[in-house]
Amino acid sequence: MTDRRQFLKTMAMMGAAAATAAPIAQAAKGVLETQPSKIIMPEGGDLLIRNQGLPITGTFVDEISHDIPHQNWGEKEWERDFKHMKAIGIDTVIMIRSGYRKFITYPSPYLMKKHGCYLPSKDLLDMFLRLCDKYKMKFYFGLYDSGRYWDTRDMSWEVEDNRYVIDEVWENYGQHHKSFQGWYISGEISRATKGAIDAFHAMGKQCKDVSGGLPTFISPWIDGKKAVMAAGSALSKADGVSVAEHEKEWNEIFDGIHDVVDACAFQDGHIDYDELDAFFEVNKKLADRYGMQCWTNAESFDRDMPIKFLPIKFDKLRMKLEAAKRAGYDKAITFEFSHFMSPQSAYLQAGHLYDRYREYFEMS
């Protein structure tokens, strides 16, 4: 018995030594190479490679950053980013808002005169449209956000300004760029908000009327347990909306806007990961009921950390994309590639997220 134990102990030590010695020897020769990791998940007792998420094919671009740092890119850096987007299959770029309070993305005569908005140093709207033309991407124009909704929680404030912005942008930009393919109604709500149905309907109808019916979409948030103020220190709250209440309120909203809003991309970061399937199933059911496209806004930043906001852990993004695929969603977009997924982001972690994403979808 003693000889058997000694034999097993010796063999284990030899195996460990061999396993350690081989990479050390390779490293000493300067030939140590690592192989791309595969994503494996236990399922039914087996280890299977899982590439079942809904791929991201659209991204917001945020050049009126008020809660994430500005990267101060010029056209050279932006063009490089469009190439990175194109490389992973992104075909749609959405300017999240054309202005926020006094900062604007293009020299709007109306906004500068009406609100004293600041003249931008570069016409970013023109630049984004030219880059979308060049790389054959669809461009969605995000409407102006006066900031008054955030102060009053009354969406009706946004209608008057955008009445002029929509006409101004279509006349000066939309008719001159093939890539101008739609509109993003940028007011973000989560519940049955004062004035929301009428405001969404008025702005969506005008967008469609002026552009010959180009598609429109919205990207609301779910009032879940992680729907807390970005400026606060809390990461969660106790009174998140129930699935039933979410369905009831959004059934009413969709009923009032579906004739002028073509798609809804709910933000996915305000609910916990084990709640994704329940909420996503309801979102898809409601969208199908009203003949709308069901997109997901797969947030690529992390809401679970006290530092706001950093690139998300890859497995969290993967779980959200897999849930969207299970629910039968039509498209995945993200907020937002340039800060949180780009290899040239100010955040080093963003480039690593880009690499893990490419590995997961087996992109060369």
Side-chain angles (χ1 to χ4, degrees):
M1 179 67 71
T2 302
D3 290 343
R4 181 173 178 272
R5 286 199 186 106
Q6 185 61 40
F7 172 78
L8 292 174
K9 182 178 179 181
T10 301
M11 292 301 293
M13 292 174 63
M14 289 174 62
T20 304
I24 291 175
Q26 286 182 318
K29 295 177 183 178
V31 295
L32 182 60
E33 296 180 353
T34 58
Q35 298 297 320
S37 61
K38 295 286 186 181
I39 305 299
I40 54 177
M41 295 271 304
E43 187 175 275
D46 298 322
L47 291 177
L48 300 175
I49 297 174
R50 292 278 300 274
N51 285 339
Q52 298 179 358
L54 186 65
I56 294 170
T57 55
T59 183
F60 287 104
V61 289
D62 185 3
E63 270 301 276
I64 304 294
S65 307
H66 68 281
D67 55 7
I68 53 176
H70 205 287
Q71 302 195 103
N72 292 306
W73 288 352
E75 188 154 347
K76 178 180 70 174
E77 291 84 4
W78 273 112
E79 179 157 14
R80 189 182 302 134
D81 226 46
F82 271 64
K83 291 178 181 177
H84 290 313
M85 294 176 197
K86 190 80 173 178
I88 62 168
I90 289 177
D91 59 20
T92 305
V93 170
I94 308 115
M95 189 167 70
I96 193 165
R97 58 184 73 84
S98 53
Y100 179 65
R101 299 189 188 269
K102 288 192 175 185
F103 284 96
I104 53 179
T105 58
Y106 73 99
S108 165
Y110 169 77
L111 292 173
M112 289 189 291
K113 181 178 180 180
K114 176 71 181 295
H115 294 298
C117 290
Y118 308 130
L119 177 69
S121 58
K122 186 175 182 62
D123 187 336
L124 297 168
L125 175 54
D126 174 72
M127 181 190 71
F128 289 141
L129 282 164
R130 286 188 287 103
L131 288 172
C132 283
D133 288 342
K134 181 174 181 178
Y135 291 98
K136 296 180 172 53
M137 295 178 173
K138 297 176 182 178
F139 178 83
Y140 278 68
F141 176 82
L143 302 187
Y144 174 67
D145 183 344
S146 71
R148 286 181 290 182
Y149 157 66
W150 299 106
D151 297 332
T152 64
R153 298 297 172 176
D154 182 350
M155 274 283 292
S156 60
W157 284 110
E158 305 309 312
V159 176
E160 184 64 21
D161 286 331
N162 280 297
R163 197 185 311 278
Y164 294 92
V165 168
I166 292 165
D167 286 345
E168 184 178 76
V169 164
W170 181 251
E171 180 180 349
N172 296 325
Y173 299 88
Q175 299 181 73
H176 311 294
H177 290 275
K178 185 177 180 180
S179 61
F180 196 113
Q181 290 293 309
W183 307 85
Y184 170 55
I185 306 172
S186 57
E188 296 179 23
I189 66 171
S190 64
R191 307 287 294 266
T193 302
K194 182 179 179 181
I197 293 175
D198 290 342
F200 279 148
H201 196 278
M203 292 186 284
K205 185 176 188 305
Q206 185 179 349
C207 287
K208 285 185 160 298
D209 287 348
V210 76
S211 64
L214 287 182
T216 64
F217 85 98
I218 59 174
S219 186
W221 41 287
I222 299 169
D223 194 21
K225 62 179 66 174
K226 291 191 280 186
V228 295
M229 294 298 293
S233 60
L235 297 178
S236 64
K237 62 182 184 180
D239 56 344
V241 70
S242 69
V243 176
E245 188 64 20
H246 173 77
E247 180 174 7
K248 177 179 179 293
E249 293 188 19
W250 279 95
N251 181 68
E252 180 181 351
I253 296 169
F254 280 8
D255 183 54
I257 67 173
H258 69 276
D259 57 323
V260 293
V261 175
D262 298 283
C264 181
F266 278 104
Q267 300 167 30
D268 68 2
H270 296 92
I271 54 176
D272 220 339
Y273 304 98
D274 55 7
E275 299 177 301
L276 291 168
D277 287 303
F279 279 96
F280 281 16
E281 181 181 346
V282 163
N283 294 343
K284 184 66 167 72
K285 179 172 70 173
L286 290 173
D288 287 349
R289 179 180 299 164
Y290 289 101
M292 299 168 66
Q293 288 245 314
C294 190
W295 298 0
T296 188
N297 180 355
E299 294 179 340
S300 42
F301 63 92
D302 205 325
R303 290 188 180 272
D304 302 328
M305 300 179 64
I307 304 173
K308 301 171 182 175
F309 293 102
L310 296 175
I312 199 169
K313 175 183 172 70
F314 168 71
D315 276 335
K316 295 178 180 178
L317 180 62
R318 173 186 61 78
M319 287 191 289
K320 296 191 296 182
L321 294 175
E322 288 175 355
K325 183 67 174 292
R326 287 194 297 272
Y329 275 29
D330 300 295
K331 188 178 182 71
I333 62 176
T334 188
F335 183 87
E336 49 87 50
F337 178 88
S338 298
H339 279 87
F340 305 117
M341 288 188 72
S342 171
Q344 64 169 354
S345 167
Y347 297 119
L348 180 64
Q349 308 96 316
H352 298 321
L353 180 59
Y354 183 82
D355 291 340
R356 301 294 81 72
Y357 180 89
R358 289 177 64 96
E359 288 174 2
Y360 174 69
F361 283 105
E362 298 182 328
M363 298 175 178
S364 58

